[in-house]
Structures are given as C-alpha cells and as structure tokens.
Amino acid sequence: MDERFQQSIDQYRQILEHAQQLDQLLSKGDPEQLRSYTARLHAMQEEAGLNDRELMADIARNSERCQNHPLFRERMQLLKQIVEMNNLLLPRVRGMMSVTAAELTQLKEGRVALSGYHKKPARTQQSVRGVG
C-alpha cells in the first residue's frame, strides 16, 4: 500500500508541476502549445486515475489506518493544491474563452457586413449619337 501511496504522490506532483506551466502558456496564446499541454495533462490524469482506483480499494479495506498514514495526508495536501490552482486558473481560462468567442462573433458579423457591399462594374461609355 505504501508503494501505491508513493506512486500517487509522485503522479500528483507531476500534475501540479505541469499545471504550473498553464499560466505562462495562456500568456503566449499559442494554440499548438496549449493542445500539447492539454493532451499531456489528460494522459497524466488518466494514469493517476488508474492508480487511484486501486489505491481507493486499499483505503476502503483499511480506512482508519490509511487516514492516519503520513503518505495519505501528503497526498491529500497535493490534491488540495491542485484544486486551489484550478480555482485560480479556471476564471482566467473562461474569461479568455469569452473574449475569443466575442472576437470570433465580431469577425463573422464583419464578414457578413462586407459581403453586402459589391463593387459595381464600370460602365462602358457608349456614343449617344449612335452609328454614324
């Protein structure tokens, strides 16, 4: 069980370190880097989730002993830090998404407005008198 706790702690430390990069990535606004960041974070969370399922089964069998275990408390502290970081970054991400959505709407409306303007073809001058 100690091994599962330590593995979980290591995984959540890695997730926390990875999550700390998000603020800088948001400042850059590079979509490809954000996609790569998100894919890596998702993979890390999946891996941690698999270990946590087994760990939760161990905890359920030895609830009282586990809750007093120092590694359990360390793991819970890391989880709290991750939740706090999410609570700080989520409003910023949502704000950036709102601004981007508004900009896209303005661009779309501008394109529709511009499509209403057509350049009239130049008239060729014809002689008023006709053929001579």
Side-chain angles (χ1 to χ4, degrees):
M1 181 170 52
D2 284 359
E3 288 179 31
R4 283 200 221 285
F5 270 128
Q6 192 59 55
Q7 182 180 1
S8 181
I9 288 168
D10 292 343
Q11 288 171 325
Y12 284 115
R13 276 195 186 127
Q14 289 174 0
I15 289 172
L16 189 59
E17 288 171 11
H18 186 72
Q20 290 170 344
Q21 300 171 24
L22 182 59
D23 193 38
Q24 185 179 21
L25 288 175
L26 290 174
S27 298
K28 291 180 182 177
D30 182 344
E32 191 54 43
Q33 284 184 338
L34 286 171
R35 273 192 279 285
S36 176
Y37 167 88
T38 304
R40 177 71 181 128
L41 181 61
H42 183 70
M44 293 169 77
Q45 289 172 330
E46 286 287 321
E47 189 178 318
L50 292 174
N51 183 57
D52 281 354
R53 283 186 198 98
E54 296 173 14
L55 182 59
M56 289 300 129
D58 289 346
I59 291 172
R61 285 190 292 272
N62 302 311
S63 175
E64 190 173 319
R65 181 176 157 238
C66 287
Q67 290 179 5
N68 294 321
H69 198 289
L71 293 176
F72 177 83
R73 290 193 295 271
E74 183 177 351
R75 180 180 173 275
M76 291 303 295
Q77 186 61 37
L78 283 170
L79 290 172
K80 286 179 186 176
Q81 288 177 358
I82 290 171
V83 168
E84 288 171 7
M85 183 177 287
N86 283 344
N87 289 338
L88 291 174
L89 289 174
L90 270 176
R92 182 167 176 207
V93 170
R94 286 188 181 126
M96 291 178 78
M97 288 172 59
S98 294
V99 168
T100 302
E103 289 173 350
L104 286 172
T105 300
Q106 286 178 340
L107 287 172
K108 186 186 285 186
E109 288 172 355
R111 187 177 321 151
V112 169
L114 285 175
S115 70
Y117 295 102
H118 296 287
K119 186 174 181 181
K120 295 182 180 180
R123 289 185 168 174
T124 57
Q125 286 195 338
Q126 296 178 347
S127 173
V128 178
R129 295 176 40 205
V131 178

